[in-house]
Amino acid sequence: MKHLKKVLITLVVASTIIACKNEKEKQNSEPIENNADLSTEKPIAEDQKIGFQKTLSLQNITFEIKASGEGSIQQLSIQPEGLEIDNQKITLEIEGQVTNAEIEDLNSDGSPEILIYIVSAGSGSYGNVIGYSVNNRKSMSQIYFPDLFDNKEASSGYMGHDEFAIMETTLVRRFPVYNEGDTNNNPTGGLRQIGYKLKDGEASRVFEIGKIYDFDQ
């Protein structure tokens, strides 16, 4: 009888030790599971790399501009601050990379415009402009930027490599001109400069091509 009682006590102690050991192993395994969850979040953060960021202010209205992502397709966000009615963030999917952004009151109406310059991926670096105009300090709407190939005089000899800048109240576009037979890295036709003026269109404000200058490089 004493021998049986001793065996039972031994089994109870052994069971208690095993249960404690299993509970300890379970507790130790929980941080490992959390670490695994954290490690899976890192690639998501990497996908949201900011390639361009700039804050622009004029006439007490501010815009925070960000472009994120990798490759030829990126996410562009514009966060206004100081508008009287609508300060909602604008998010666009763009093809290419943002090279710069500028702000100016192009039509001298007391409210600013922001212009964001984009070049396409690849050797051509074809340029584009995304612009927004503030409406009486209350909200903003997108400006229509015309396709260069809609104007034969402006687009003749064009093969990309654009540069953009605001000069006073004019948007200036400059690029090399290619003659027939020129290679992409060796234009021989000099430079062309195009001036765009902001105008009121039927549905929105638009950029219209004004003066076109050709000159030797």
Side-chain angles (χ1 to χ4, degrees):
M1 187 70 178
K2 288 182 180 181
H3 179 71
L4 180 60
K5 186 175 182 180
K6 186 175 181 180
V7 170
L8 290 174
I9 292 173
T10 302
L11 290 174
V12 169
V13 172
S15 299
T16 301
I17 293 172
I18 292 171
C20 291
K21 183 178 179 182
N22 289 340
E23 182 64 21
K24 186 175 181 180
E25 289 177 353
K26 182 180 179 181
Q27 291 175 355
N28 290 338
S29 67
E30 289 177 356
I32 296 174
E33 293 176 359
N34 291 337
N35 288 338
D37 292 339
L38 289 173
S39 66
T40 59
E41 294 176 2
K42 289 181 180 179
I44 298 175
E46 289 293 327
D47 290 341
Q48 299 301 319
K49 285 183 178 179
I50 296 176
F52 179 88
Q53 183 172 3
K54 194 172 187 178
T55 301
L56 299 170
S57 297
L58 184 67
Q59 299 163 326
N60 296 320
I61 298 174
T62 300
F63 301 92
E64 185 178 5
I65 301 163
K66 292 182 181 178
S68 60
E70 296 180 348
S72 59
I73 304 299
Q74 297 198 0
Q75 298 296 319
L76 172 66
S77 68
I78 305 167
Q79 177 63 69
E81 182 179 346
L83 300 178
E84 296 176 7
I85 294 179
D86 188 0
N87 286 286
Q88 185 175 355
K89 180 190 289 187
I90 295 173
T91 303
L92 302 171
E93 188 176 81
I94 61 172
E95 184 175 356
Q97 295 183 338
V98 175
T99 59
N100 196 16
E102 293 186 288
I103 188 169
E104 184 56 80
D105 186 356
L106 295 175
N107 55 359
S108 304
D109 66 348
S111 297
E113 282 74 38
I114 56 165
L115 304 182
I116 301 164
Y117 309 139
I118 300 170
V119 295
S120 64
S123 58
S125 299
Y126 292 94
N128 191 21
V129 176
I130 293 179
Y132 281 86
S133 181
V134 174
N135 307 308
N136 197 25
R137 305 184 60 82
K138 299 182 186 307
S139 62
M140 62 182 189
S141 55
Q142 190 165 0
I143 304 168
Y144 174 73
F145 185 71
D147 189 330
L148 186 67
F149 290 101
D150 291 339
N151 186 305
K152 290 183 179 180
E153 180 186 359
S155 62
S156 63
Y158 173 72
M159 291 179 61
H161 303 286
D162 300 89
E163 295 178 355
F164 296 95
I166 294 174
M167 296 180 63
E168 296 181 351
T169 58
T170 301
L171 169 62
V172 174
R173 179 182 199 166
R174 182 178 291 187
F175 54 83
V177 177
Y178 289 78
N179 290 319
E180 186 176 353
D182 287 349
T183 59
N184 187 270
N185 61 352
N186 187 33
T188 62
L191 294 174
R192 179 168 298 145
Q193 181 172 297
I194 301 172
Y196 293 83
K197 299 298 288 187
L198 184 66
K199 303 290 183 178
D200 289 333
E202 294 182 2
S204 65
R205 294 190 174 107
V206 300
F207 277 117
E208 290 185 358
I209 291 179
K211 295 180 179 180
I212 301 173
Y213 297 100
D214 284 352
F215 48 92
D216 294 334
Q217 194 165 1

